[in-house]
């Protein structure tokens, strides 16, 4: 793998020393300028989801100034920043997580909260004795009839367009938030040719609520008809009997030794991340309604976030600033112990904690590649757009990991080995680059290449590039190649074309 860091980007500004909290909405359109809207919030946004049917943002907020409520879920107009409606939690209750889950042809919002004050985890990593609440919110559409009455319609998948900001909706006074945009104004009732209907509105209605033993820290949709939820060191497979969002049934339960921090799924595979044992893979048997652990992390790891690339591979970030790729190499679950049977296939120390890790789409194939299929450089470009990783960190960085072919990796590995020791591109303070990027990982674990280091090659002059490639490597920087024969000499053109291909796609 190879990593490229693009630029710093803040979605939330929740610095406690600042009197105001902001939500930044960024529009990224290929071949167009970047548009940014800044919305002032009366609390700290903890998670933002986009509801496609209403075309509204669903925002989980904490640290509200309301004396009776310190946390809520609200519907926000992405054009003006107006809070159109909100569902307020109980006094002292704090929202922890939320996800959109499919129920029949509709979508509901599943929210996990904490009803207890104090820490959720003991120093040993076990869960404290706390309580939390699992909440199901129905996203309903209200229509103003000609007689002035309000009609409720709870349906998803409709083709109706998003509403414009309202001053008062369903008894809630809409909070008008300040906004500054480079592209659109709050008074503009259309965007990209979409006319906003003022006869429609959306609100959140409580469908189901129950108290669980433990803070509900993670929820995740599963197989389009279930959802996963964790409380303490337990996680559950839950369903809606008869597609009724007002009823939730726990179908199966799994337990770990320590506090569960994350839940994710890919097809039938479930990945559970806890605060000590790392990532655990489970499979769910629908007929028997039973969860079975099949794979386990080879090392102890305090998981920050996790995403499944496929049923056998997970990208995991930890609280020490590393991102690791774990995979089951034999692809066999039969007659194998689930203890420490995952292999570390790649590791990279970022120096920042990635709180969100997601599988993304990225391809660095140029339009000219179709016309150059006969060339060796173009023929080596594969379709890797579905195997990239996007990570966002606490310090506001967005980091992109992209897979490389073996030939590309060997080529850039040889270039990086020279860049880290060349006077023009080596670390300024003389630090050991390899030691820093391998911090916290196993000695023989495969390493990801450093895109920031490799990008310096494009900033050099032609003579400097030639000097870097001609630099002999010492014993500690000797590169091991699979072939017994000496590798062919590296040319500047090979390196520049490969690096420019990636940067063309990023920019």
């Amino acid at each position: 793998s190879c990593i490229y860091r693009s630029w710093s980007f803040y979605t939330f500004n929740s610095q406690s020393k600042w009197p105001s909290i902001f939500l930044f909405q960024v529009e990224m359109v290929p071949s167009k300028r970047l548009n940014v809207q800044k919305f002032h919030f009366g609390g700290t946004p903890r998670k933002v989801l986009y509801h496609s049917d209403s075309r509204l943002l669903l925002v989980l907020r904490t640290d509200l100034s309301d004396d009776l409520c310190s946390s809520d879920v609200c519907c926000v107009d992405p054009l003006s920043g107006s809070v159109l409606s909100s569902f307020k939690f109980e006094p002292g209750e704090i929202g922890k997580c939320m996800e959109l889950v499919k129920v029949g042809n509709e979508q509901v919002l599943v929210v996990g909260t904490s009803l207890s004050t104090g820490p959720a985890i003991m120093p040993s990593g076990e869960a404290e004795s706390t309580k939390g609440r699992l909440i199901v919110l129905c996203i309903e559409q209200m229509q103003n009839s000609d007689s002035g009455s309000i009609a409720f319609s709870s349906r998803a998948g409709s083709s109706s367009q998003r509403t414009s900001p309202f001053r008062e909706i369903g008894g809630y006074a809409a909070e008008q938030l300040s906004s500054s945009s480079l592209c659109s104004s709050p008074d503009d009732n259309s965007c990209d040719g979409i006319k906003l209907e003022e006869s429609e509105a959306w609100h959140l209605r409580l469908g189901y609520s129950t108290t669980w033993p433990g803070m509900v820290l993670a929820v995740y949709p599963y197989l389009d008809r279930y959802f996963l939820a964790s409380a303490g060191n337990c996680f559950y497979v839950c369903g809606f009997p008869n597609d009724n969002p007002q009823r939730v049934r726990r179908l199966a339960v799994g337990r770990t030794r320590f506090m569960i921090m994350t839940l994710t799924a890919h097809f039938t595979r479930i990945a559970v991340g806890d605060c000590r044992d790392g990532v655990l893979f489970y499979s769910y048997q629908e007929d028997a309604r039973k969860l079975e652990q099949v794979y386990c992390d080879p090392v102890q790891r305090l998981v920050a976030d996790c995403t499944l690339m496929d049923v056998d591979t997970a990208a995991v970030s930890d609280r020490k600033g590393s991102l690791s790729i774990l995979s089951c190499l034999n692809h066999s679950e039969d007659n194998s112990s689930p203890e420490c049977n995952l292999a570390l296939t790649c590791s990279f120390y970022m120096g920042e904690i990635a709180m969100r890790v997601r599988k993304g789409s990225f391809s660095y194939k140029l339009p000219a590649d179709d016309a150059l299929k006969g060339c060796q450089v173009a023929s080596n470009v594969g379709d890797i757009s579905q195997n990239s990783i996007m990570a966002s960190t606490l310090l506001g960085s967005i980091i992109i990991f992209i897979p490389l072919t073996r030939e590309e990796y060997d080529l850039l590995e040889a270039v990086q080995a020279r860049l880290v020791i060349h006077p023009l591109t080596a670390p300024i303070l003389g630090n050991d680059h390899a030691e820093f990027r391998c911090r916290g990982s196993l000695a023989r674990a495969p390493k990801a290449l450093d895109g920031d280091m490799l990008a310096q090659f494009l900033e050099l002059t032609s003579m400097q590039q030639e000097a870097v490639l001609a630099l002999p490597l010492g014993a500690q920087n000797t590169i091991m190649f699979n072939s017994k024969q000496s590798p062919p000499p590296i040319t500047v053109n090979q390196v520049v074309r490969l690096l420019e291909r990636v940067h063309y796609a990023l920019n």
Side-chain angles (χ1 to χ4, degrees), residues 395-430:
L395 297 181
S397 298
I398 289 182
I399 301 176
I400 303 175
F401 292 81
I402 61 173
L404 299 173
T405 65
R406 170 52 59 183
E407 293 76 13
E408 292 169 339
Y409 183 89
D410 290 341
L411 173 67
L412 295 181
E413 184 185 30
V415 176
Q416 177 178 289
R418 291 170 169 83
L419 288 172
V420 298
I421 60 175
H422 194 277
L424 293 176
T425 53
I428 297 177
L429 300 180

Side-chain angles (χ1 to χ4, degrees), residues 222-223 225-226 237 251-253 268-270 282-294 333-334:
Y222 183 56
L223 293 179
R225 54 189 179 274
Y226 308 116
V237 179
L251 304 175
V253 59
T268 59
R269 176 74 73 238
I270 300 171
Y282 287 82
S283 63
Y284 175 58
Q285 302 174 11
E286 290 190 80
D287 296 337
R289 292 185 177 179
K290 181 181 178 181
L291 286 164
E292 180 182 4
Q293 182 181 335
V294 290
E333 302 177 10
D334 299 331

Side-chain angles (χ1 to χ4, degrees), residues 164-236:
S164 61
F166 285 87
R167 291 294 179 264
E168 185 171 326
I169 297 175
Y172 287 98
E175 304 174 30
Q176 186 65 33
L177 306 183
S178 61
S179 64
S180 58
S181 174
L182 301 177
C183 61
S184 59
S185 65
D187 298 329
D188 188 6
N189 287 332
S190 62
C191 182
D192 294 333
I194 299 174
K195 183 66 177 177
L196 305 181
E197 299 293 338
E198 295 191 359
S199 63
E200 300 174 353
W202 297 78
H203 83 137
L204 300 170
R205 178 182 61 84
L206 177 63
Y208 175 85
S209 173
T210 185
T211 301
W212 281 2
M215 297 182 184
V216 183
L217 297 184
V219 293
Y220 199 84
Y222 183 56
L223 293 179
D224 283 337
R225 54 189 179 274
Y226 308 116
F227 70 90
L228 309 172
S230 72
N233 68 327
C234 299
F235 72 98
Y236 307 90

Side-chain angles (χ1 to χ4, degrees), residues 101-108 136-138 154-156 205 207-208 222-227 238-249 251 286 289:
V101 176
K102 188 176 180 181
V103 182
N105 294 325
E106 301 183 6
Q107 272 189 326
V108 296
V136 178
L137 299 178
C138 300
S154 177
R155 63 182 294 267
R205 178 182 61 84
Y208 175 85
Y222 183 56
L223 293 179
D224 283 337
R225 54 189 179 274
Y226 308 116
F227 70 90
C238 303
F240 297 94
N242 301 320
D243 290 337
N244 184 359
Q246 298 183 9
R247 295 182 59 195
V248 173
R249 178 180 298 171
L251 304 175
E286 290 190 80
R289 292 185 177 179

